[in-house]
Amino acid sequence: MTVSASASALSEKPTRSSERFVAYVHDLCESKRARAELRRGLGLPVERCNYLHRYLVPWMSDATRAVHPDTQRAHYAVAALIAARPRAARETPAREAAESGGATGRRARANLGAALGRAVTKGVLKPGTAESTLHLMSRQSADAIHPGLPALTRQLLTGGVAVDWAVLLEDLSWWNRDRDRIATAWLESYFRTTAAEPEPDDTDHPQALEPTEENER
């Protein structure tokens, strides 16, 4: 890394706990072994994520008070999702992906609804599919949502749509306790994004999910 790049990284150090966690997981994923072991937690409850504990327990132990079970599961889920990114998504700088939705403020950044909206405008998903997914998720508990996130986020990433992992982490942490507010925010962001001017489609965006073995490379 050049001196200027290092200085830039220091000046833009994440301030929110969710952002620091995402940066921590990105660093872990520089190791092929750690990435493979974190990926074993895809869609699973914490109790079945035996290979993730060595990496995430030290982070969770830094909390100053007991961690809510939903918050713990959200951290494990997002760590596995980051580790399972397609190779092309892994090559995108973490901060660039986080800020792809616009301003850096938490509420200005893209939640999952906005990501689905961008997937529609880019032709990665059909409007009916994206809307059905959002409406279904808005009625479900976190237990029902978690198993479907690996396929959904992989399809978004394969189609060139970034996912703001810090925002997703916060939303998943509070989903069971504040679902109506978060679901409303997702739906509002989705329709706000799809109502905006469509971007020119100068790139083919594959509908098919990237093969699992691509993640091993």
Side-chain angles (χ1 to χ4, degrees):
M1 179 182 290
T2 64
V3 174
S4 59
S6 299
S8 175
L10 287 173
S11 65
E12 298 178 348
K13 185 176 180 179
T15 57
R16 298 182 69 88
S17 174
S18 58
E19 294 171 340
R20 292 195 299 272
F21 177 75
V22 170
Y24 169 68
V25 175
H26 275 93
D27 287 342
L28 288 176
C29 288
E30 292 297 316
S31 161
K32 186 175 180 179
R33 174 187 173 184
R35 190 168 70 242
E37 292 185 340
L38 289 172
R39 195 165 55 241
R40 292 192 179 198
L42 281 173
L44 299 178
V46 173
E47 295 76 15
R48 295 177 57 193
C49 293
N50 295 335
Y51 286 89
L52 279 69
H53 298 317
R54 67 182 298 169
Y55 303 105
L56 303 188
V57 166
W59 175 276
M60 305 299 290
S61 298
D62 286 341
T64 57
R65 55 184 177 181
V67 177
H68 192 282
D70 290 345
T71 300
Q72 183 184 24
R73 183 171 189 182
H75 281 76
Y76 276 63
V78 168
L81 292 171
I82 292 174
R85 290 168 300 158
R87 183 174 58 180
R90 293 202 305 268
E91 294 170 352
T92 301
R95 189 169 185 85
E96 177 184 332
E99 296 181 0
S100 63
T104 58
R106 164 65 177 84
R107 292 304 170 191
R109 282 165 51 172
N111 57 30
L112 190 59
L116 287 170
R118 282 183 54 78
V120 168
T121 63
K122 293 167 72 72
V124 178
L125 290 175
K126 294 181 179 179
T129 300
E131 290 177 32
S132 295
T133 298
L134 278 174
H135 284 297
L136 177 61
M137 294 175 78
S138 69
R139 301 191 299 271
Q140 293 179 320
S141 68
D143 285 340
I145 287 178
H146 276 279
L149 286 174
L152 178 60
T153 56
R154 187 165 65 250
Q155 187 165 14
L156 292 173
L157 295 170
T158 301
V161 178
V163 175
D164 192 321
W165 302 113
V167 175
L168 181 61
L169 171 60
E170 294 180 15
D171 286 346
L172 290 177
S173 295
W174 285 97
W175 185 263
N176 282 337
R177 293 168 283 172
D178 204 6
R179 181 179 62 189
D180 290 345
R181 177 189 63 80
I182 298 169
T184 297
W186 286 8
L187 287 163
E188 289 177 346
S189 295
Y190 170 80
F191 288 111
R192 189 179 299 116
T193 302
T194 55
E197 177 121 0
E199 353 178 308
D201 188 9
D202 56 359
T203 306
D204 291 332
H205 301 286
Q207 291 281 352
L209 301 181
E210 184 165 319
T212 303
E213 56 266 24
E214 184 71 16
N215 290 324
E216 302 290 348
R217 299 178 186 173

